[in-house]
Every structure is written in C-alpha cells, then in structure tokens.
Amino acid sequence: MADPGFATNKRDPIKSSVVNAAGTRRRQLAVTVGKERRESLVRAKRLCRVGVSDAEVDVDVEGEMMIDEEQSILESQTSLAVENLKSALAYQGKGAVQKRVGALQELRRLLSRSEFPPVESAVKAGAVAILVQCLSFGSPDEQLLEAAWCLTNIAAGNPEETKALLPALPLLIAHLGEKSSSPVAEQCAWALGNVAGEDEELRNVLLIQGALVPLARMMLPYRRSTVRTAAWALSNLIKGPNPKAANELIRVDGVLDAIVRHLTKADDESATEVAWVVVYLSALSNLATSVLVKSDVLQLLVNRLATSNSLQLMIPVLRSLGNLVAGDSHATYAVLVPGLEVTDTAMQALIKCLNSEHRVLKKEAAWVLSNIAAGSIEHKQLIYSSETLPLLLHLFSAAPFDIRKEVAYILGNICVAPTKGDEIPNLILEHLVSLVEKGCLPGFIDLVRSADIEAAKLGLQFIELVLRGMPNGKGPKLVEQEDGIEAMERFQFHENEDVRTMANSLVDKYFGEDYGLDE
C-alpha cells in the first residue's frame, strides 16, 4: 500500500463514460526520476578527479586523465599503494604525517586515474579499513581530505564496492560537522552522496546514522561548491521511494530559505543541484509540496526556465514545476492564473521547451502542460487559446511516441470539464470540435493501435468523447472513416480487462446491429 506521504505526480487523464471507467491516474514515483536524471547527463554516482579545494591539494589533472596504463599494472600498483599506506600508518617516527599524506596521495591518484579505477584491487587489499583509521579525529586536514577522496572514488564503484564503505560511514558523517574544514566536510559529503546514490538500503543506513541534517546545513551557506555538493548528496539521499526523508528535510530550519536563495542567485550548476532537491521533495512529500508552493519557489522555477538555456538545469526545473502543479491545487488555482505575469512567463517558457531540439525537454514540457490542462476550465482555455495549441497538434502528428502520448493527455484534458469522482465528464464542445476539425482524431486512433496499454486507453477515451459529443451524430462516421472500428476490435479478446471492456462497449453501443440502417 502506498505511503500516505506520497504525492501523486499525475494529471487526471480524460475520463470515459464507458462502464464508468475512470481511466488511470498517472503516478510518477520519484524513484523513476532516475531515468530523467540519466537523460540530463547527471550521474547518480560521481568519480572525483579534481579536489574540492585547489588550495589544499596539488593535482596534475591533465596528466592524470591522460595516462592510460594497462589495467593489470594499475591494479598491481594499487595493491602496493595500499600496503605502503599500511606501513605509513604504522610508522611513528619523524615526518610520520608527511609519510601518511604521501601514501594517501599515491592511492588517491591511482583511484582517480582511469575511466575504470582499480577500486576492486583497493578494496581487496584492505583499503577501506586503513582509510577509516586515517579519518580519526585529530588528524591533519590534508590527511582527512585525501582519505575522504579515496573513499569517494571507492564509493563510485560497483554496488559491492560501495557497500564496502559501511564501516566508514559514521566517521564520514561526523566530519560533516561545523568543526571540520569546508574542504574536508565537502569531500565527505561527496563520498556520502555516492553511497546514497547506490540503493535504498544504503540510503536507509545513512538516514539512521544521521546524515540528513548535517548535509542539509551544508546547503545553507553561500559557498558555491559546498552548496552544489551538499544539494547533490541530499537529492541522492531523499530520492525515495520512502517519503520520510523528504518530510524530514523540509522541516530542517533554514532549508526552505536556502532553496529560495540559491534558486534566486546561484549559478546554473548550483541551481541545477538545488532544483533536483526540489524534484524529490515535490515528488515524495505532500508536506514539502505545500510548503514549496506557498513560498516563492514556483515563481523562481518559472524565471529559471524562462531565462536559462542549460539542458541540465531546465530538466529538473520542468520536473519540479510539473510535480508542484500536480501535487497542490494552490499552484494551479492561485498561482498559474490566466492573465498573471507569472502565468504568461510560464507559458512562453513551456513553448520554448516544446520548440527545443532536445526530446526530453519536449516531453517534460508536455507533462507540465498536461497537469495544467487537468485543472480548471480557465486553465484548459488558457492552453486552447494560446500559441501552444498549433505546436501541440504538430507534435501529436510528428513527434516520437512518448511525446505524442504526453500531448494526448493535454488535448484530451482540454476537451472535458473537471468532474468529481467517477462522474461522466461534461464536454467542452468548442474544444472537441475544433481539435477534431484540425485532424487530431487519427492520432488518437493510432494510440489505440499501440502496444502501450496506457496510450491505448487514452485513445479509447478520446474516441468515446468523439462518439458521444460530436454534433449531429457525426461521431461514429468520423471514427469509422479513420478505421477506428478495426482499431477497437483488436481488443475483442484482449487480456487487459479495462481496455477490452472499454473497446467492446464502444463498438456495441455505437456500431451495433442498427448502425448505418438510416443510410
């Protein structure tokens, strides 16, 4: 059973009167946002090649990234580096600190060197236990930084290598505190972000051990790199599917103010990471959604969308907007009001995304519009009368399937008035007639023919509107002319009960024995 804290990131789809089928409500669980994140070129786990503070660490980045040694040699060097670190840690004579730092730097260089670092060799050689010792309180900052860096890159490995960091987690979390230097705290946050990016089990471990609050506090200052790292780690930590972490984060004192401040003033890279935090907050927590909508966040997201050309930023901004509009009626009924400047700006920004060359931007923009289209009559009219409609009709006929399906929700929703429960929706006849005259019916019939059950339901629901609502009883003839009867009959013995019942009921009701006799 779904947790009551979940927000249902949906747009109420068009409803069909066929056997009182209400259709499906789109629930986009936050865990599926990982797909969008991959599309935005943001990795859930990140290898650290460049130090968090150039002042503290001398790194020959170009040289290290250009070296391409045989993997076997690299693995042997890594095993030897771990043994050297063990020896350096045991050494208590003169220059002991420098000896330890030098051994750590050698291991760190090896773990940062290639596209596929020799993490397995380091773990098998016992690196994690030694690095945990190097994180002990009272150690010099340079030692702490190098040890955390090594652990960061081990955590960027495969699942088993990431889980090897379990013994290190308490100290990594402890070094997030105010007593740690900013570079050390940030590097520890990076390591924890990699761990959190692995799976729900490790996220739960981090939450139980208290990682959330100190990470949240790291997002409060103005230091850009710290904000970026902390926000990225937090987005990995709260991304679900359990909403408890998102609920806890929005309650941390100062977090909302920090989100507003960074969305207002931060550079695109920092704003991107903060926007991903908003994505997961708004996807998982009704509480967070309500708090965010009542702040300036929605206006700030619209402004970012309108002014940015960064693909990495625009994707989480669009996703956040869609979540907020879907999750809190205040967003659609009190903020996105036709005639308000923010609404005009939002519509122009969405048009910009629909015209983009990037498929994912088109899809996300259509999803946001589908949530707006599921709102009031005024919101449906807003879309219908705007310059988005010709663009949507073009996409519906020419775009890839996933975009066409999103557009179908918009076009269908602007044809029906809001309803309560499973009531048969009242048609907005002007919209329906206009869309059919503009040629969108074949597109919906194509959806019926698709293998995607959700898309097929959308097509059947729109066909029902045409059959029931077109003036002078023209609906059946229009559907027949586009081979809609044949498309529906393919579901006569379909295994999915919903679509089978919907399709068979439509055929029986509108194309039964008496169909065509009056001709």
Side-chain angles (χ1 to χ4, degrees):
M1 184 175 179
D3 189 289
F6 258 129
T8 55
N9 301 325
K10 83 325 179 170
R11 59 282 198 261
D12 289 332
I14 56 177
K15 295 181 178 180
S16 168
S17 64
V18 179
V19 294
N20 295 319
T24 55
R25 295 175 63 193
R26 182 180 194 260
R27 171 170 290 198
Q28 183 81 34
L29 299 183
V31 72
T32 66
V33 177
K35 181 176 184 294
E36 284 79 11
R37 193 154 195 168
R38 286 194 296 275
E39 289 175 313
S40 71
L41 310 180
V42 180
R43 294 176 57 186
K45 293 163 70 173
R46 300 175 178 177
L47 190 68
C48 180
R49 295 190 185 279
V50 182
V52 296
S53 174
D54 293 337
E56 278 81 7
V57 182
D58 181 22
V59 185
D60 180 9
V61 179
E62 182 179 0
E64 291 193 38
M65 291 184 68
M66 289 179 64
I67 293 176
D68 184 24
E69 297 176 307
E70 291 291 335
Q71 194 69 19
S72 59
I73 297 176
L74 199 55
E75 291 170 358
S76 299
Q77 291 178 333
T78 301
S79 299
L80 179 60
V82 174
E83 293 304 316
N84 290 339
L85 179 56
K86 291 177 182 177
S87 299
L89 201 61
Y91 179 71
Q92 299 296 325
K94 185 177 180 181
V97 172
Q98 289 76 15
K99 189 175 181 69
R100 286 197 299 274
V101 170
L104 283 165
Q105 287 177 334
E106 177 58 26
L107 178 60
R108 179 259 298 167
R109 290 190 181 101
L110 292 166
L111 291 172
S112 308
R113 217 167 201 178
S114 70
E115 184 64 27
F116 302 101
V119 174
E120 182 180 3
S121 298
V123 172
K124 285 183 176 179
V128 174
I130 300 300
L131 292 169
V132 170
Q133 293 182 52
C134 293
L135 285 177
S136 60
F137 280 94
S139 302
D141 278 358
E142 192 174 11
Q143 176 178 314
L144 294 171
L145 187 62
E146 293 287 353
W149 189 341
C150 291
L151 290 167
T152 297
N153 285 355
I154 292 174
N158 65 39
E160 290 305 312
E161 291 159 357
T162 305
K163 289 177 181 177
L165 257 71
L166 282 170
L169 299 184
L171 277 171
L172 288 170
I173 294 170
H175 283 298
L176 298 177
E178 296 176 356
K179 294 183 179 179
S180 299
S181 69
S182 292
V184 170
E186 185 176 336
Q187 192 64 63
C188 290
W190 192 334
L192 293 170
N194 277 344
V195 174
E198 182 55 56
D199 59 27
E200 184 184 2
E201 179 184 356
L202 287 173
R203 287 194 288 277
N204 288 336
V205 171
L206 290 171
L207 291 169
I208 290 170
Q209 294 186 1
L212 188 141
V213 172
L215 279 174
R217 288 174 179 159
M218 287 179 65
M219 204 171 69
L220 305 186
Y222 288 89
R223 191 171 187 265
R224 286 190 300 176
S225 64
T226 302
V227 170
R228 285 197 299 268
T229 304
W232 168 74
L234 277 171
S235 68
N236 272 352
L237 186 59
I238 69 170
K239 67 182 179 181
N242 193 313
K244 183 179 179 181
N247 286 327
E248 183 180 348
L249 177 58
I250 200 63
R251 290 189 180 102
V252 175
D253 188 40
V255 162
L256 178 61
D257 290 340
I259 290 172
V260 169
R261 183 171 68 250
H262 298 318
L263 287 178
T264 304
K265 299 180 179 180
D267 60 279
D268 277 1
E269 190 176 355
S270 299
T272 297
E273 302 300 351
V274 173
W276 277 112
V277 174
V278 176
V279 167
Y280 292 112
L281 286 172
S282 57
L284 286 163
S285 169
N286 288 327
L287 170 65
T289 298
S290 177
V291 169
L292 290 167
V293 165
K294 291 172 184 175
S295 71
D296 294 331
V297 166
L298 197 142
Q299 170 78 68
L300 295 171
L301 291 170
V302 169
N303 291 344
R304 282 284 184 176
L305 188 63
T307 58
S308 177
N309 290 311
S310 166
L311 176 64
Q312 283 77 10
L313 173 59
M314 293 170 76
I315 290 172
V317 166
L318 277 168
R319 172 57 61 174
S320 297
L321 283 172
N323 285 348
L324 292 172
V325 170
D328 193 303
S329 59
H330 178 79
T332 44
Y333 294 102
V335 180
L336 290 177
V337 178
L340 287 185
E341 182 180 352
V342 63
T343 305
D344 294 340
T345 304
M347 294 300 291
Q348 289 302 314
L350 291 169
I351 290 170
K352 178 179 76 170
C353 294
L354 289 174
N355 279 314
S356 168
E357 296 179 357
H358 298 287
R359 182 188 63 81
V360 67
L361 284 185
K362 293 178 188 286
K363 182 179 177 181
E364 291 292 339
W367 180 70
V368 175
L369 283 165
S370 71
N371 280 330
I372 297 173
S376 66
I377 295 287
E378 290 75 20
H379 289 101
K380 298 170 190 291
Q381 182 67 31
L382 173 68
I383 295 173
Y384 174 78
S385 60
S386 73
E387 57 187 295
T388 59
L389 189 61
L391 185 52
L392 291 170
L393 289 169
H394 170 71
L395 290 172
F396 193 48
S397 64
F401 176 80
D402 57 343
I403 297 174
R404 285 191 286 120
K405 189 167 82 168
E406 292 295 339
V407 172
Y409 271 105
I410 307 171
L411 298 177
N413 275 331
I414 65 174
C415 291
V416 292
T419 60
K420 296 180 179 179
D422 288 344
E423 295 177 1
I424 297 175
N426 293 320
L427 294 170
I428 304 177
L429 196 58
E430 177 191 357
H431 295 183
L432 177 65
V433 171
S434 175
L435 291 183
V436 172
E437 289 178 347
K438 287 178 168 61
C440 74
L441 179 57
F444 280 98
I445 292 176
D446 283 342
L447 293 183
V448 175
R449 295 192 181 98
S450 76
D452 186 303
I453 295 300
E454 182 185 3
K457 286 182 181 179
L458 274 173
L460 288 170
Q461 288 170 334
F462 191 83
I463 288 175
E464 192 274 339
L465 299 180
V466 172
L467 292 171
R468 171 163 57 95
M470 288 299 289
N472 303 317
K474 292 181 179 179
K477 197 66 179 176
L478 290 170
V479 171
E480 182 185 19
Q481 288 171 352
E482 299 297 339
D483 294 327
I485 301 175
E486 177 272 331
M488 289 187 285
E489 285 181 337
R490 65 182 285 268
F491 289 106
Q492 185 174 6
F493 303 105
H494 198 275
E495 61 184 15
N496 186 285
E497 183 178 359
D498 285 345
V499 294
R500 183 177 70 245
T501 303
M502 290 171 67
N504 290 341
S505 298
L506 286 174
V507 172
D508 291 344
K509 181 175 181 178
Y510 293 98
F511 304 98
E513 294 179 359
D514 296 334
Y515 176 68
L517 291 182
D518 57 342
E519 298 178 2

